[in-house]
C-alpha cells in the first residue's frame, strides 16, 4: 500500500514552499534556515521546549501538509487504500482526513531506543518531543486498530497482515 509520511513531506514542504519559509523566519528568526534549508536543530530546540511555539509552527506547516496529502491521494491509482503516517495525527487534527486509525504502541523505553538510533537524538530531546504528543492511552481510545509493538518484527508483520485483510473486507463491503 502507498504510504504518505507526514513528517518527511513536512520537511520537504518547509524547504520548498516560500510562504512557509517566510512565516517560519518571521516567527522563529533567520536562524530557522541555513543555506536555504530548514535548520531542524535550531527549530527543534525552540518548539519542543515551548508548546505555544510548537502550535504556531504547526499552524504554519500543517495546512500545507493537508493540501499535499490531498494531492498525493489524487494520484494514487489502482490501490484499495492508502496509509497516512503521522506522529501527531491527533494533535494536528489530521485524523479527520482518515477513515480508519491504526495506532502502534510501544513501551516508552523501546521508543526512546529506536528514536536514538533513527534520528541521532539524545534521550532528553526525545522526551521533550514525546511530551507534546497525546498518551498511548488516549491514542488507543481514538483508534480503530491497535498494534502492540512489544516483541518481534515477525509479530508486527502478522498484525499488519491481519489488519490489511480486515480493511480489504471492510472496504469491499462498503463499495
Amino acid at each position: 500500500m502507498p504510504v504518505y509520511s507526514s513528517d518527511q513531506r513536512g520537511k520537504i514542504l518547509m524547504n520548498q514552499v516560500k510562504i512557509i519559509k517566510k512565516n517560519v523566519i518571521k516567527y522563529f528568526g533567520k536562524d530557522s534556515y541555513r543555506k536555504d534549508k530548514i535548520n531542524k536543530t535550531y527549530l527543534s530546540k525552540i518548539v519542543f521546549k515551548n508548546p505555544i511555539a510548537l502550535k504556531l509552527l504547526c499552524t504554519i506547516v500543517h495546512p500545507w501538509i493537508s493540501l499535499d496529502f490531498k494531492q498525493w491521494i489524487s494520484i494514487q491509482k489502482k490501490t484499495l487504500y492508502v496509509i497516512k503516517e503521522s506522529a501527531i495525527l491527533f494533535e494536528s487534527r489530521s485524523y479527520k482526513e482518515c477513515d480508519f486509525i491504526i495506532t502502534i504502541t510501544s513501551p516508552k523505553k523501546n521508543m526512546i531506543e529506536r528514536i536514538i538510533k533513527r534520528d541521532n537524538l539524545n534521550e532528553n530531546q526525545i522526551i521533550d518531543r514525546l511530551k507534546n504528543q497525546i498518551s498511548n492511552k488516549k491514542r488507543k481510545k481514538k483508534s480503530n486498530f491497535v498494534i502492540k509493538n512489544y516483541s518481534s518484527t515477525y509479530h508486527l508483520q502478522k498484525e499488519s497482515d491481519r489488519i490489511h485483510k480486515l480493511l480489504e473486507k471492510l472496504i469491499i463491503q462498503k463499495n
Side-chain angles (χ1 to χ4, degrees), residues 80-97:
L80 197 55
Y81 64 89
V82 299
I83 296 172
K84 181 178 189 178
E85 184 276 324
S86 176
I88 56 170
L89 189 73
F90 297 108
E91 299 83 347
S92 67
R93 304 186 65 71
S94 62
Y95 70 94
K96 293 180 177 187
E97 300 168 331

Side-chain angles (χ1 to χ4, degrees), residues 1 3 8-9 12 24 29-31 43 45-47 59 63 68 79 81 116 119 123-124 130 136 143 169:
M1 289 298 122
V3 177
Q8 284 179 338
R9 289 300 301 162
I12 290 167
V24 168
K30 290 183 181 186
D31 289 338
L43 210 49
K45 284 180 184 174
I46 295 171
V47 301
T59 62
D68 187 64
T79 185
Y81 64 89
I116 286 171
D119 297 344
E123 190 170 340
N124 289 334
L130 293 175
N136 274 342
S143 299
K169 286 179 186 176

Side-chain angles (χ1 to χ4, degrees), residues 67 74 117:
L67 280 172
S74 72
K117 286 179 188 173

Side-chain angles (χ1 to χ4, degrees), residues 71-122:
Q71 289 175 333
W72 179 83
I73 285 176
S74 72
I75 61 170
Q76 301 306 313
K77 305 293 181 208
K78 297 182 183 177
T79 185
L80 197 55
Y81 64 89
V82 299
I83 296 172
K84 181 178 189 178
E85 184 276 324
S86 176
I88 56 170
L89 189 73
F90 297 108
E91 299 83 347
S92 67
R93 304 186 65 71
S94 62
Y95 70 94
K96 293 180 177 187
E97 300 168 331
C98 302
D99 295 319
F100 299 99
I101 308 295
I102 303 168
T103 289
I104 301 175
T105 63
S106 183
K108 191 175 273 189
K109 179 184 170 210
N110 295 17
M111 288 171 55
I112 291 170
E113 287 172 4
R114 281 196 297 273
I115 296 169
I116 286 171
K117 286 179 188 173
R118 185 190 69 204
D119 297 344
N120 198 25
L121 298 171
N122 67 48

Side-chain angles (χ1 to χ4, degrees), residues 38-39 78 93 142 148 153-154:
I38 191 73
N39 183 347
K78 297 182 183 177
R93 304 186 65 71
K142 295 179 176 213
K148 293 180 180 175
T153 317
Y154 174 75

Side-chain angles (χ1 to χ4, degrees), residues 61-72:
V61 179
H62 283 281
W64 292 94
I65 292 173
S66 183
L67 280 172
D68 187 64
F69 179 62
K70 288 173 185 157
Q71 289 175 333
W72 179 83

